[in-house]
Amino acid sequence: MKTVMVIAMAMVMATVALCAEASAQTPPIPAEEQPEVLTRGPVNEAFAQPVNLEDQAGLIAPTAPPADIAEEPPPERPAGDQFAWVPGYWAWDSDRSGYIWVSGCWRAVPPRMSWVPGYWSQTPQGWQWVAGFWAPTGNRQIEYLPPPPALTDVEPTGPAPSPDHVWVPPCWYWRYGQYVRRPGYWIGGQADWVWAPSHYVWTPRGYVFASGHWDYTLGHRGVLFAPVYFPNRSYTRPGYSIALSIAVDIGNLQFGLFTRPQYSHYYFGDYYDSAYIGIGIFPWYQVEQRHTWYDPIFVHDRWRHRRDEPRWAQHQRQEYDRRRTNKALRPPRTYREMEDRVTRMPASQRRNFEIAAPIARVAVRKATGFTFEKTKPEVRPQLSKHTGNVRKFAQERNRWESQGPAPGATWPAMGRRLPADSKVAVPSVKQRKGETRPSDSMQSAPAERPSRSRTPGSRWKGSSASPAQQRQIKNEPHQEERYQADKVIVRTPPVVGRPEGRVSRKGLPPQPAEEQNDSNRLNRHQRY
């Protein structure tokens, strides 16, 4: 019996030794088949967004995005209750003709605002991106509107009142069934705050008014994690998750920042080749020449450097031209390539070349505008639940918006903005007996009372239509048909901002007077 036991033990030990030997001989998975951390790509739109001033129908991808990936944020996180976790999502990459993962981020939520996440919507042409937007906290109703008229004359008509002012473009407001054009204006710059102006966001159901608000400066917005490319479909395995650890250096981000207005995204990294302009990815300084979008971060940074670097904007253009003509000066496209190049550099040059770094290293550098703390173990399950709530809200938004306008809200030229000289009068909201005027939903557009006379069926006097066009509209028969604005009651979005900011000891600046409820002032503006 003892002999049998000895033989059995020997066989077990031999089997274990063979398994260990086989495991040791198994080659590692090739690096080309592993997820690749990128040092270029889209910036999470909750972290930063350009303001599109033109037709906003979103980017269309030919194939459906994969299922969302479970993310594991690292233990290090920004300290402060103004920071919230915003999960990642898939983005279409034109270079690869496929999807890459835009990682989640720790975001200092703008005070009194909530994040309404974007989503991919299926269309006959493919899958279209519908942008996310910030909405006032506490308003649980989204109002979908007809396409606003095209904006013209969005650039300043003259010099700034002083070097301490920045320009805010005009915007259309929907009040009592018609559009009112609020002119552009100058606003005093704020060292700790960026003004995000009012604008419209396109959706399959209609246009949503995104109200202007104060936001944190880019360096105080939190932690932006690097995008990831998956060369295989390993992410389709049940229970697959990715541990985020590489953070983008916000300080170096501004030296390689680009804008893709149609996609409502910023891009960072190597997009210096002229071919990218052909697909709508522009260097951010071109906002001064194209006037089809507004860049609140560029405008703020130019104002911030008004004294220490008066030629800051020109320097941005020069850096772009240098890297466009000399490929050796362009930043690396992957984190692996960046590490390889950094190790061959003198130590004095490495810091300015690092586009991204491990978050553990970032936390101890103390180079950010905030401090870090460790996430408590008991909080991690709450983060997972929070991620599920954000994605569920995006799915719900997809369902109610993909249905298109509700019955009674079928507007002319739905899905595309009206030209500034269009003869189509925007129908007004029908007010039934006992109803009140349309209330502010997820917007803070000022109310107004008509004070100018209007010929039935015509536009308001003072519009940009030519005299001949106004005479033609004046002679048109009165249109009795009216349309009801489309409204949806929703639950509160999961990413919610605190009442006040924590960056400046001076507190949150007041809303600009031009954005406040001033009916007498608005009565002097153009109406459609």
Side-chain angles (χ1 to χ4, degrees):
M1 183 69 178
K2 186 178 296 185
T3 303
V4 174
M5 292 180 63
V6 170
I7 295 174
M9 288 294 296
M11 293 178 62
V12 170
M13 293 178 64
T15 303
V16 171
L18 288 172
C19 291
E21 181 180 358
S23 176
Q25 294 176 353
T26 302
I29 299 175
E32 291 76 11
E33 293 293 328
Q34 297 179 11
E36 182 77 82
V37 177
L38 306 178
T39 50
R40 72 192 293 262
V43 174
N44 191 307
E45 65 172 2
F47 199 86
Q49 256 185 335
V51 174
N52 201 332
L53 302 179
E54 281 195 332
D55 193 312
Q56 299 184 36
L59 179 76
I60 295 181
T63 59
D68 288 330
I69 294 177
E71 297 174 310
E72 298 178 9
E76 298 83 4
R77 58 155 295 171
D81 56 6
Q82 73 270 32
F83 293 98
W85 177 253
V86 181
Y89 53 91
W90 292 104
W92 180 257
D93 184 69
S94 300
D95 285 331
R96 294 182 172 86
S97 295
Y99 287 94
I100 61 175
W101 182 253
V102 177
S103 300
C105 62
W106 283 108
R107 176 64 153 98
V109 182
R112 305 170 188 163
M113 304 299 288
S114 299
W115 176 245
V116 180
Y119 63 92
W120 288 99
S121 174
Q122 187 174 11
T123 70
Q125 294 77 31
W127 291 78
Q128 189 167 30
W129 180 253
V130 182
F133 60 94
W134 292 102
T137 300
N139 292 336
R140 299 185 58 190
Q141 180 175 265
I142 298 181
E143 189 173 58
Y144 296 93
L145 302 172
L151 279 173
T152 58
D153 302 325
V154 297
E155 64 273 12
T157 57
S162 76
D164 292 329
H165 286 76
V166 297
W167 174 252
V168 179
C171 184
W172 291 102
Y173 289 164
W174 173 264
R175 304 313 297 162
Y176 305 156
Q178 58 197 334
Y179 277 110
V180 181
R181 189 179 191 273
R182 189 264 297 147
Y185 58 90
W186 294 97
I187 184 176
Q190 300 288 331
D192 295 329
W193 300 96
V194 176
W195 177 250
S198 302
H199 62 283
Y200 284 88
V201 177
W202 175 88
T203 79
R205 189 160 186 159
Y207 282 76
V208 176
F209 179 85
S211 59
H213 62 276
W214 289 106
D215 202 345
Y216 296 95
T217 57
L218 195 61
H220 289 90
R221 291 193 182 184
V223 178
L224 180 69
F225 290 95
V228 182
Y229 168 64
F230 293 87
N232 55 38
R233 299 185 63 84
S234 58
Y235 51 80
T236 60
R237 299 197 309 266
Y240 182 85
S241 63
I242 180 173
L244 302 177
S245 62
I246 305 300
V248 178
D249 189 311
I250 304 300
N252 287 341
L253 182 68
Q254 297 164 326
F255 291 99
L257 203 56
F258 297 79
T259 305
R260 195 171 192 176
Q262 185 188 16
Y263 195 20
S264 298
H265 275 72
Y266 284 104
Y267 280 63
F268 77 99
D270 181 10
Y271 290 92
Y272 292 94
D273 197 288
S274 300
Y276 290 111
I277 293 180
I279 62 173
I281 300 179
F282 306 101
W284 67 333
Y285 69 80
Q286 286 197 0
V287 65
E288 295 184 304
Q289 290 84 40
R290 294 183 179 270
H291 304 300
T292 59
W293 76 91
Y294 178 81
D295 193 324
I297 298 176
F298 177 86
V299 171
H300 179 270
D301 281 3
R302 181 178 56 186
W303 168 84
R304 184 167 59 89
H305 290 286
R306 66 195 183 281
R307 291 190 175 90
D308 63 338
E309 194 176 353
R311 293 178 57 82
W312 178 83
Q314 292 87 332
H315 177 65
Q316 296 290 320
R317 289 194 290 269
Q318 292 169 359
E319 283 298 308
Y320 172 81
D321 290 337
R322 289 178 62 239
R323 300 182 186 190
R324 180 175 57 84
T325 55
N326 188 349
K327 293 184 179 181
L329 298 176
R330 298 178 185 179
R333 295 191 168 195
T334 69
Y335 184 71
R336 185 171 54 198
E337 178 189 352
M338 188 203 77
E339 284 188 308
D340 181 62
R341 291 171 64 176
V342 165
T343 56
R344 292 182 276 112
M345 284 183 172
S348 59
Q349 299 179 10
R350 295 177 182 178
R351 181 67 184 89
N352 294 331
F353 191 78
E354 290 183 331
I355 304 174
I359 183 63
R361 188 191 309 169
V362 174
V364 299
R365 277 180 178 170
K366 299 182 179 180
T368 62
F370 44 85
T371 58
F372 284 83
E373 64 183 12
K374 293 286 186 178
T375 302
K376 298 179 181 178
E378 60 270 21
V379 175
R380 301 191 72 82
Q382 299 177 14
L383 283 177
S384 178
K385 182 179 179 180
H386 170 77
T387 295
N389 287 335
V390 175
R391 290 175 175 169
K392 181 179 178 182
F393 191 94
Q395 294 169 0
E396 293 172 354
R397 184 187 172 200
N398 188 355
R399 282 195 295 270
W400 78 63
E401 290 184 348
S402 296
Q403 301 171 4
T410 305
W411 304 297
M414 178 56 207
R416 192 164 296 276
R417 290 189 174 191
L418 300 173
D421 58 352
S422 171
K423 294 190 297 182
V424 179
V426 177
S428 59
V429 176
K430 184 177 181 180
Q431 185 179 6
R432 298 185 181 92
K433 184 177 181 180
E435 286 185 338
T436 59
R437 293 289 189 185
S439 60
D440 287 346
S441 54
M442 283 208 165
Q443 55 192 58
S444 59
E448 56 84 21
R449 294 190 304 271
S451 64
R452 296 188 181 184
S453 60
R454 182 175 67 165
T455 304
S458 70
R459 279 183 288 177
W460 291 94
K461 294 179 181 180
S463 73
S464 59
S466 65
Q469 289 173 329
Q470 291 188 16
R471 286 194 297 271
Q472 181 178 353
I473 298 173
K474 182 177 180 179
N475 294 329
E476 291 177 355
H478 177 55
Q479 296 180 355
E480 292 295 340
E481 185 179 14
R482 295 172 182 266
Y483 296 88
Q484 181 70 38
D486 191 7
K487 300 179 182 180
V488 176
I489 304 297
V490 301
R491 62 187 178 92
T492 302
V495 180
V496 181
R498 299 289 176 176
E500 297 295 339
R502 297 296 183 90
V503 171
S504 174
R505 284 177 293 181
K506 297 180 180 179
L508 188 68
Q511 291 280 100
E514 290 79 2
E515 301 281 350
Q516 297 176 7
N517 189 346
D518 185 349
S519 301
N520 294 328
R521 176 181 54 79
L522 286 174
N523 286 338
R524 300 191 295 271
H525 296 170
Q526 290 182 10
R527 296 177 176 83
Y528 274 70

